[in-house]
Amino acid sequence: MKTKKIDYGRWLLVLPALIVVGTLLVYPIFSSLYYSLTTKHLIKATYDFIGFDNYIKVLTDPDFFKAFLTSILWTVASLLGQIVVGFTAALALNRVNHLKGVYRILMIIPWAFPSIVIALAWKWILNGVSGFLPNLLYEMGVASELPQFLSDSSLVFGTLIFINIWFGAPMIMVNVLSALQTIPQDQYEAAQIDGASKLQQFMYITVPHIKVVVGLLVVLRTIWVFNNFDIIYLITGGGPANATTTVPIYAYNMGWGTKLLGRSSAVTVLLLAFLLIVCFIYFKIIGKWEKEDK
Amino acid sequence: MRKKTLSVLLTALMVASMAAGCGKDSGGAGGSSENDGELKGDITFWHSFTQGGRMDVIQEAAEKFMDENPDVNITIETFSWGDFYTKWTTGLASGNVPDMSTALPGHVVEMMDAEAVIPVDDVIDDIGRDRFAEAALSEGERDGECYSLPLYSHAQVMWYRKDLLEEANLEVPETWEEFAEAAKTLTKDGVYGCSFPCGSGDLMATRFLNFYVRSGGGSLLTDDLKADLTSDIAIEGINYWLDIYENCSPKDSVNYAVLDQANLYYQGKTAFDFNSGFHISGVETNSPDLVDSIDCAPLPRLKKDDPIYGAETSNIPMVIWSKSEHPEICKAFIETLYEEETYTDFLAATPVGMLPSITGISDTEKYQSNEIVQKFSNAEQVISEAVELSAAIGFEHGPSVEAGLLTSQSIIEEMFQDIITNGTDVEKAAKAAEEKMNEVFESVQ
């Protein structure tokens, strides 16, 4: 009788990956879930199990909903801006025949900078006393007094979205450009012979070829932008008066400011649930696109 | 279908990992703990002396100590004060704390509460307990034991531009009313009278409000350690600083932290500011032409015949962490920092900015021969007097966790931002901030 031999070798090979996934992905999720049900405090040694109290406190806090709404606006506006700018830049670059590589490198520079450099550079450019841009606008007579891009509540959120579009559009551009270059040119030639307009070529050849790539980019960027912390925190710290406080900053202040790690964990779990729902919807749409293509 | 399910699952896992908190890392002191009379082992020293001069003196002292004790290795890590607080609080949760460190007085109370530091009475006795100011030692005292010892001291005073006051024929203001008038008069030609900073993530607005409240004999804490932002003097103080913000301050200062605020004075863009003797080195570095034009005076008072007072003294403490495997090395190293030669060199890295926390230094020839000390003898005297007249913010009721939380939560800063940005009624905003602060106080009970 033949006995089935267990192949330990293959398990050994995947073990490092399992350990990394277990340590870096699974553990934080379950520890957050667990702590969200406790009074865990950053510097207190002991804590108690309190059921869903943290969730109740978070969900009855008007500041949480304000931060949630700010996060939604931040994500939608940033994403739309990044897609429009990135898409337009990719279409333009796709038509360039000379020095395409140089342009591509130049345009991706914002994406290549570390967040801290971007934040400090923009803080310096927009400084309300000595910043280059406010002084330029004032000297040119565009503004009657120095515009306060980072402290005027009517300007600060728009300013941050502009910076995020400037920062994120190159990534969209590079990916869309790659997708554009995979479209067979003979399809455009055939369409031209058939008398299709530029708009029709764009709608019926370009869009179908790149929509899945754009769809996946939207999924990834939604997650990244919604979770974005560094740029906002480094430039405004969530202020003034919480005007730019998003959910990740709210969670950070809860955990590291007031040191209520349990409540902060509850915020991250709620954030996780929300993003999972968003991703589920996105994948449904992408799946439908894929089905249509077949 | 399977592929799609897998991709959904993978994305879900990625989303989850991004949304979930960071994992803990581990750390701790390394090296042998063997002690047979000779010091032996590795220690880590965290400090917040980020500027070149002070950092160099500490590094040299560590190297000298390691030369004298070849089996000792001292690893120095430097963090800004803001980062330092995050670093040790998160480090405490994960066990990644140093053997010894600097701190702020408010931190020490939290450290003592968390049983994170050990008593250092033997070090104090070796250096000479009577050489330290009793008030400075009491900031780290609990149940008759001292858990910290001050390395240097400074206090908040009013800095002004002599040249601008002279040009405008103004006297150095002595009262808050005179100060506001002078600041408003000097707000012209690209110079602001006084910036009022209230950026979140720092304590500047709390500090400024505390000046006003202390000048009226009040406190931001009640006797039973509750927040008190709705007292008459606190409301008056809030309105006072709102008036300064409206009339003499750059509008951007609603986001200013300590360095943004100081930079304006360093660059000659503000006529007045409130800080310690560190302003001298800041101006010297950024605008050497202005060094002869700056001086300081005691904090303004409510009325001219009110006594001179101090509102905020910082005795920067050193602590030894409970997790240290080599407290004996930490203690021996700390003692060397107070040796006359090293200590004077350390203070000379920021003359008048750091004042000695022990007696027998300020009257030495070496200390007195420093050019900045001589040039700013008036400033040194003003600050030295202020040091003796006050304590850390909220410590007028003795060291407490509440006093530390008063400055670390940015609740007062957010209150000012709310009033300035959203036009919220002052008393309503003060009440809301007071309640929020008290809620935070309760969370640590």
Side-chain angles (χ1 to χ4, degrees):
Chain A
M1 196 176 134
K2 220 176 177 181
T3 54
K4 198 179 173 186
K5 199 179 166 189
I6 299 171
D7 184 1
Y8 290 105
R10 65 182 183 185
W11 284 105
L12 206 63
L13 288 171
V14 296
L15 191 64
L18 284 176
I19 292 171
V20 169
V21 170
T23 312
L24 298 179
L25 300 183
V26 179
Y27 174 73
I29 296 166
F30 284 98
S31 65
S32 286
L33 270 170
Y34 173 69
Y35 287 141
S36 72
L37 305 171
T38 69
T39 58
K40 176 76 177 163
H41 189 272
L42 189 61
I43 58 173
K44 275 185 174 176
T46 57
Y47 55 88
D48 301 314
F49 183 81
I50 52 164
F52 290 98
D53 274 15
N54 284 325
Y55 291 93
I56 293 165
K57 286 210 169 102
V58 169
L59 291 171
T60 52
D61 181 1
D63 286 345
F64 171 75
F65 286 101
K66 188 169 181 283
F68 186 71
L69 185 65
T70 306
S71 279
I72 301 269
L73 289 173
W74 161 254
T75 308
V76 171
S78 298
L79 211 57
L80 280 176
Q82 288 177 8
I83 289 168
V84 169
V85 175
F87 204 95
T88 310
L91 286 172
L93 212 56
N94 197 38
R95 302 291 292 268
V96 174
N97 294 321
H98 302 291
L99 301 173
K100 190 182 276 188
V102 175
Y103 289 126
R104 196 161 48 194
I105 289 169
L106 285 175
M107 290 178 83
I108 206 166
I109 281 175
W111 179 257
F113 276 113
S115 308
I116 182 75
V117 176
I118 289 167
L120 291 179
W122 279 106
K123 269 184 95 167
W124 177 70
I125 292 167
L126 301 174
N127 185 294
V129 176
S130 54
F132 170 75
L133 192 60
N135 279 287
L136 180 74
L137 294 173
Y138 178 71
E139 293 296 330
M140 286 170 67
V142 176
S144 56
E145 54 183 24
L146 289 174
Q148 303 295 313
F149 288 105
L150 301 178
S151 54
D152 184 334
S153 59
S154 62
L155 291 177
V156 63
F157 192 59
T159 304
L160 283 180
I161 287 171
F162 171 80
I163 294 170
N164 201 27
I165 291 170
W166 170 85
F167 171 66
M171 195 261 194
I172 304 273
M173 179 204 76
V174 168
N175 284 279
V176 172
L177 185 61
S178 303
L180 286 173
Q181 286 167 352
T182 63
I183 303 174
Q185 287 305 302
D186 53 3
Q187 291 191 10
Y188 289 107
E189 288 161 14
Q192 274 173 355
I193 292 166
D194 290 344
S197 67
K198 289 284 179 196
L199 184 65
Q200 283 171 323
Q201 287 176 39
F202 177 75
M203 292 303 293
Y204 297 109
I205 301 174
T206 310
V207 171
H209 271 95
I210 63 168
K211 70 180 179 188
V212 175
V213 172
V214 174
L216 286 171
L217 277 173
V218 168
V219 175
L220 287 173
R221 292 301 298 158
T222 302
I223 297 164
W224 289 343
V225 174
F226 201 93
N227 281 322
N228 190 285
F229 173 82
D230 45 7
I231 288 183
I232 304 176
Y233 193 78
L234 290 167
I235 295 178
T236 64
N242 290 333
T244 57
T245 296
T246 53
V247 176
I249 290 177
Y250 175 87
Y252 175 84
N253 289 338
M254 191 66 77
W256 269 252
T258 56
K259 305 186 191 75
L260 299 173
L261 270 192
R263 209 177 292 178
S264 175
S265 298
V267 178
T268 60
V269 171
L270 289 170
L271 183 61
L272 161 68
F274 173 74
L275 285 176
L276 282 175
I277 293 168
V278 170
C279 286
F280 179 77
I281 296 167
Y282 276 153
F283 276 109
K284 276 273 176 206
I285 295 167
I286 291 170
K288 201 177 154 206
W289 287 349
E290 280 177 334
K291 216 178 262 179
E292 283 169 3
D293 286 346
K294 281 174 188 172
Chain B
M1 185 66 194
R2 263 189 189 173
K3 271 186 185 170
K4 203 163 73 185
T5 311
L6 187 67
S7 66
V8 171
L9 277 172
L10 281 172
T11 309
L13 202 57
M14 191 180 73
V15 174
S17 69
M18 292 175 89
C22 299
K24 296 171 180 178
D25 64 343
S26 60
S32 160
S33 60
E34 185 63 34
N35 187 358
D36 53 359
E38 298 264 317
L39 294 171
K40 192 176 182 182
D42 301 344
I43 62 163
T44 303
F45 175 23
W46 288 358
H47 70 67
S48 295
F49 307 136
T50 47
Q51 294 108 321
R54 299 195 291 174
M55 203 157 64
D56 294 343
V57 175
I58 294 287
Q59 187 64 47
E60 281 163 21
E63 278 162 17
K64 188 177 164 219
F65 188 82
M66 287 189 282
D67 284 345
E68 289 166 0
N69 300 276
D71 293 328
V72 168
N73 184 45
I74 303 173
T75 304
I76 293 177
E77 293 176 27
T78 312
F79 308 99
S80 69
W81 285 114
D83 292 341
F84 180 71
Y85 186 71
T86 309
K87 184 80 183 165
W88 81 255
T89 47
T90 51
L92 199 59
S94 63
N96 185 17
V97 288
D99 295 88
M100 57 180 281
S101 75
T102 53
L104 289 175
H107 296 181
V108 176
V109 182
E110 289 186 66
M111 289 168 182
M112 288 191 293
D113 259 20
E115 296 177 358
V117 289
I118 61 169
V120 287
D121 288 285
D122 45 352
V123 185
I124 293 167
D125 289 334
D126 285 349
I127 296 166
R129 186 173 291 269
D130 54 348
R131 296 181 71 190
F132 291 94
E134 207 179 314
L137 287 182
S138 71
E139 290 182 353
E141 192 179 329
R142 177 164 291 180
D143 301 329
E145 289 185 301
C146 290
Y147 288 80
S148 69
L149 70 168
L151 185 59
Y152 66 87
S153 304
H154 60 79
Q156 296 288 314
V157 291
M158 178 185 74
W159 286 89
Y160 58 90
R161 284 272 301 277
K162 290 186 283 187
D163 55 334
L164 295 179
L165 285 175
E166 273 168 28
E167 276 169 29
N169 278 324
L170 290 167
E171 295 291 319
V172 176
E174 291 182 26
T175 65
W176 288 115
E177 197 181 341
E178 288 175 359
F179 176 84
E181 275 173 31
K184 287 172 188 173
T185 306
L186 296 179
T187 302
K188 57 183 179 185
D189 306 328
V191 172
Y192 298 93
C194 177
S195 168
F196 173 65
C198 48
S200 52
D202 213 331
L203 53 73
M204 295 302 283
T206 308
R207 169 174 286 165
F208 278 45
L209 179 59
N210 185 59
F211 293 154
Y212 195 93
V213 170
R214 293 298 293 148
S215 73
S219 169
L220 295 175
L221 289 176
T222 60
D223 289 340
D224 57 348
L225 300 178
K226 295 272 190 294
D228 191 2
L229 304 177
T230 49
S231 65
D232 290 345
I233 189 74
I235 296 293
E236 202 179 303
I238 295 168
N239 282 313
Y240 181 85
W241 288 115
L242 289 171
D243 178 51
I244 294 291
Y245 175 81
E246 198 55 46
N247 295 296
C248 323
S249 175
K251 297 297 163 265
D252 231 16
S253 67
V254 73
N255 280 331
Y256 280 4
V258 61
L259 206 57
D260 303 309
Q261 173 79 3
N263 273 334
L264 278 191
Y265 191 76
Y266 298 164
Q267 293 163 2
K269 289 187 188 295
T270 41
F272 292 102
D273 196 12
F274 296 90
N275 211 305
S276 65
F278 277 85
H279 259 20
I280 298 169
S281 58
V283 172
E284 196 181 24
T285 308
N286 290 275
S287 309
D289 296 348
L290 291 179
V291 171
D292 292 332
S293 304
I294 62 165
D295 205 347
C296 71
L299 295 170
R301 309 184 290 278
L302 276 182
K303 285 180 281 185
K304 221 159 192 159
D305 52 358
D306 283 348
I308 287 174
Y309 68 102
E312 187 187 345
T313 293
S314 299
N315 297 299
I316 303 302
M318 301 206 56
V319 293
I320 299 174
W321 291 77
S322 310
K323 294 230 173 205
S324 174
E325 289 174 15
H326 305 291
E328 73 289 351
I329 299 178
C330 302
K331 288 176 180 178
F333 178 54
I334 289 174
E335 285 182 24
T336 66
L337 296 177
Y338 289 85
E339 286 169 4
E340 190 180 313
E341 188 76 11
T342 309
Y343 196 60
T344 314
D345 285 344
F346 177 68
L347 299 177
T350 318
V352 187
M354 298 190 292
L355 299 177
S357 288
I358 50 174
T359 56
I361 298 294
S362 60
D363 46 3
T364 61
E365 198 186 325
K366 187 175 176 185
Y367 182 87
Q368 288 295 338
S369 65
N370 184 288
E371 199 185 318
I372 296 290
V373 171
Q374 287 173 359
K375 188 191 267 186
F376 285 92
S377 57
N378 172 59
E380 199 211 6
Q381 195 184 337
V382 168
I383 299 168
S384 298
E385 283 170 10
V387 163
E388 288 172 17
L389 290 170
S390 60
I393 297 173
F395 275 39
E396 52 273 10
H397 303 281
S400 66
V401 175
E402 287 81 357
L405 292 171
L406 196 62
T407 55
S408 68
Q409 299 300 307
S410 298
I411 291 173
I412 293 173
E413 284 68 24
E414 282 168 12
M415 173 193 76
F416 274 108
Q417 288 186 355
D418 185 30
I419 298 167
I420 290 167
T421 309
N422 302 328
T424 305
D425 174 68
V426 168
E427 293 194 17
K428 197 176 154 194
K431 183 80 186 152
E434 187 178 277
E435 284 171 3
K436 192 172 178 187
M437 191 81 83
N438 284 330
E439 196 185 325
V440 173
F441 290 173
E442 279 166 25
S443 75
V444 296
Q445 298 305 320

